[in-house]
């Protein structure tokens, strides 16, 4: 084990100092990255998909489908964005919950 430690120490001394700095910065950024759920929600709404099919829930706007929501299900909007084509998307979760459903097409959510 001592030989392995000495070899690692020697390799570390020879490594470029910016590499060590970049690695440390990446570790810190990962540790303190914001979570997907902000403290305050924007609105409580319900699913209103006009296609008579469940609303697709996606990993990201226009991303892979990770689930579906039935019409009438209450959701809380916690983030809003537009995709590269300018289409509106919202990140939703069950009202008052911390778990996230995922991203859905905003035009299929009714916030009346």
């Amino acid at each position: 084990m001592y030989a392995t430690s000495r070899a690692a120490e020697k390799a570390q001394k020879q490594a470029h100092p910016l590499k060590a700095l970049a690695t440390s910065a990446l570790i810190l950024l990962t540790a303190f990255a914001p979570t997907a759920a902000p403290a305050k929600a924007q609105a409580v709404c319900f699913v209103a998909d006009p296609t008579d099919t469940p609303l697709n829930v996606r990993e990201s706007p226009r991303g892979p489908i990770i689930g579906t929501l039935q019409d009438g299900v209450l959701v809380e909007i916690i983030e809003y964005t537009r995709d590269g084509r300018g289409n509106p998307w919202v990140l939703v979760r069950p009202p008052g919950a911390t778990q996230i459903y995922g991203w859905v097409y905003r035009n299929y959510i009714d916030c009346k």
Side-chain angles (χ1 to χ4, degrees):
M1 181 164 168
Y2 178 73
T4 304
S5 297
R6 291 283 287 172
E9 185 179 317
K10 184 177 179 182
Q12 187 177 20
K13 286 181 182 177
Q14 292 174 346
H16 194 280
L18 289 179
K19 184 177 179 183
L21 180 62
T23 302
S24 296
L26 182 60
I27 290 169
L28 284 173
L29 286 173
T30 303
F32 295 104
T35 60
K40 201 69 173 168
Q42 297 175 3
V44 174
C45 311
F46 63 92
V47 174
D49 187 337
T51 65
D52 292 328
T53 61
L55 178 61
N56 289 331
V57 178
R58 298 177 181 271
E59 187 176 286
S60 59
R62 300 188 69 82
I65 297 169
I66 58 173
T68 60
L69 293 172
Q70 297 294 325
D71 277 356
V73 170
L74 289 176
V75 294
E76 190 171 20
I77 296 175
I78 57 173
E79 193 173 330
Y80 175 92
T81 193
R82 290 191 178 269
D83 63 22
R85 297 178 182 175
N87 295 315
W89 292 83
V90 288
L91 184 62
V92 297
R93 67 181 175 199
T98 56
Q99 80 183 57
I100 304 290
Y101 283 139
W103 289 92
V104 297
Y105 187 57
R106 171 60 181 93
N107 292 352
Y108 294 169
I109 301 293
D110 192 343
C111 298
K112 290 182 183 178

